[in-house]
Amino acid sequence: MTRTTPPRPLDVASVFPELADMARTATRLHPRPGSPTVYDSSVGGPLLWPADEPWASCSQEHPVYRLNTPEEIRTLRRILGDAWRRPRPPRTNLLSAEEDAVVGRIHAGHPPELMPAGPHPLLPVAQLYARDVPDLPCPGGTDLLQVLWCPFEDIEGCSQAVQLRWRRAADVTEVLADQPEPPYVGTDHHVPAPCVLHPEQVREYPAGHDMDEDLDRRLYRWAEERSLSYRGDLSVAPGWKVGGWAAPYTFRDPDEPDDLRCRECRAPTAPLLTVPSGEWDGESGSWRPLDDEPDEDAPPYPGPADPTMVSVGRGYTLQFYGCTRELRHLPVTVMQ
Ligand SMILES: [Zn+2]
């Protein structure tokens, strides 16, 4: 099944021709819960990993408050999903007594002291085949990008906690069957639920902070007079995506462009992958695909805009910036 973004309510570049040169394409990934295989593009799915190559790992120490095993996170989600799906007579609790006890134990977690010394295997975040994702820039004959991270709070910056692998899929003849998992995760928000993708290419214009102030002000006023939001409706697409422009909002000081240089070679970087805290929100609701009409009978958990169960900070976006000189360099990740 495909996913189709509704047309933008107005063609902003026909009114502001200076925007036409700033148009970029992005590929919305439209992840939806499923059972991807190693041969599929996915979020949170198994990876096409060579049997003879060590799994990506992280030796950094992370601030830890509470630990859970990945299996506990899956159990928690299964219990809550089942509970919201079954019919519930009035004045009955959402959870049975046994479920409530299990959920309580999982929420209590394990003490940080249990964390064994590293290195720890990383978790698959995304696997993207070039055939599915038109905006994937593939260095040197590669056609597959794998993204992994260490499921603790500190996924921002540039370190081995967030890694990329670029591959040529045909080179992987023997696939690693037993894919390792970290013994514990520091936050369930960084454990992606397995999703299949329905990629769709869209056109984007830069967010206000990526253009000159005067144009930003004129666009803002013009959109407001038409009861639209340039940021929410007309500029960048929400949700998981590859390429395009940076997130619509940033904490970064625009006077510090150096933050976005490659930490290995100082070359400029460009938006590669966006990991959001949801596929759309109140402000960006006009980007909700036509195929995802609100369904009043759908259970509220997991929410329709939250297929991957990933969230970043307090509902922010984690933008991956790739080196424009050598995409194999460590990516820079920025929460914004
Ligand atoms: Zn570089």
Side-chain angles (χ1 to χ4, degrees):
M1 189 179 173
T2 57
R3 288 288 186 290
T4 307
T5 299
R8 296 301 80 212
L10 287 169
D11 179 9
V12 67
S14 68
V15 184
F16 295 86
E18 54 269 63
L19 277 182
D21 288 342
M22 297 193 233
R24 284 185 190 173
T25 57
T27 304
R28 299 185 73 184
L29 298 177
H30 297 308
R32 296 294 180 271
S35 305
T37 73
V38 296
Y39 301 107
D40 299 315
S41 292
S42 63
V43 164
L47 304 181
L48 187 83
W49 197 274
D52 59 357
E53 182 181 308
W55 190 259
S57 66
C58 173
S59 309
Q60 283 185 199
E61 292 224 0
H62 301 286
V64 176
Y65 310 100
R66 199 188 72 198
L67 297 171
N68 279 116
T69 65
E71 188 53 36
E72 285 169 341
I73 304 306
R74 289 190 284 266
T75 301
L76 179 68
R77 291 174 177 174
R78 193 177 55 243
I79 289 175
L80 293 176
D82 289 350
W84 281 108
R85 261 193 306 274
R86 67 192 170 220
R88 182 152 46 108
R91 288 186 298 281
T92 41
N93 291 330
L94 176 66
L95 300 177
S96 70
E98 297 98 89
E99 288 171 338
D100 195 50
V102 176
V103 167
R105 272 199 302 278
I106 295 175
H107 278 152
H110 309 283
E113 301 84 76
L114 283 192
M115 190 71 193
H120 306 291
L122 301 190
L123 269 188
V125 174
Q127 168 164 282
L128 305 171
Y129 283 92
R131 59 164 197 255
D132 297 327
V133 184
D135 288 292
L136 193 68
C138 291
T142 59
D143 56 12
L144 172 62
L145 170 62
Q146 297 166 334
V147 182
L148 305 94
W149 68 27
C150 201
F152 290 84
E153 294 288 353
D154 44 345
I155 48 173
E156 194 179 17
C158 179
S159 76
Q160 55 180 238
V162 178
Q163 297 182 30
L164 308 181
R165 293 290 186 282
W166 295 95
R167 304 186 187 285
R168 209 166 59 163
D171 292 344
V172 186
T173 46
E174 202 183 329
V175 181
L176 183 67
D178 256 333
Q179 311 213 333
E181 276 200 323
Y184 294 105
V185 306
T187 165
D188 58 329
H189 296 152
H190 296 172
V191 181
C195 284
V196 293
L197 307 183
H198 307 275
E200 177 203 20
Q201 200 172 36
V202 295
R203 186 191 297 120
E204 292 191 335
Y205 299 104
H209 59 86
D210 270 329
M211 63 176 77
D212 78 58
E213 258 177 67
D214 175 59
L215 179 58
D216 179 24
R217 258 198 304 274
R218 286 188 291 130
L219 273 167
Y220 180 88
R221 255 201 320 270
W222 175 84
E224 202 180 41
E225 284 164 7
R226 283 151 188 83
S227 303
L228 290 169
S229 153
Y230 176 71
R231 183 167 84 177
D233 300 311
L234 302 173
S235 58
V236 301
W240 287 72
K241 67 181 181 192
V242 166
W245 282 94
Y249 180 82
T250 185
F251 303 109
R252 243 172 2 92
D253 186 337
D255 296 333
E256 290 171 22
D258 264 13
D259 287 4
L260 291 187
R261 292 206 168 253
C262 174
R263 303 290 157 87
E264 298 190 45
C265 76
R266 310 302 299 159
T269 58
L272 175 64
L273 172 70
T274 302
V275 175
S277 293
E279 285 300 292
W280 59 83
D281 62 12
E283 190 184 30
S284 60
S286 72
W287 293 86
R288 190 190 63 222
L290 296 166
D291 328 73
D292 291 309
E293 280 297 309
D295 173 5
E296 282 176 16
D297 297 328
Y301 177 94
D306 197 19
T308 68
M309 314 288 279
V310 169
S311 67
V312 174
R314 296 163 186 249
Y316 308 140
T317 290
L318 191 73
Q319 190 105 40
F320 285 62
Y321 289 88
C323 177
T324 51
R325 186 183 301 160
E326 173 48 82
L327 272 164
R328 288 186 178 83
H329 287 168
L330 277 176
V332 178
T333 51
V334 181
M335 217 179 271
Q336 48 195 17

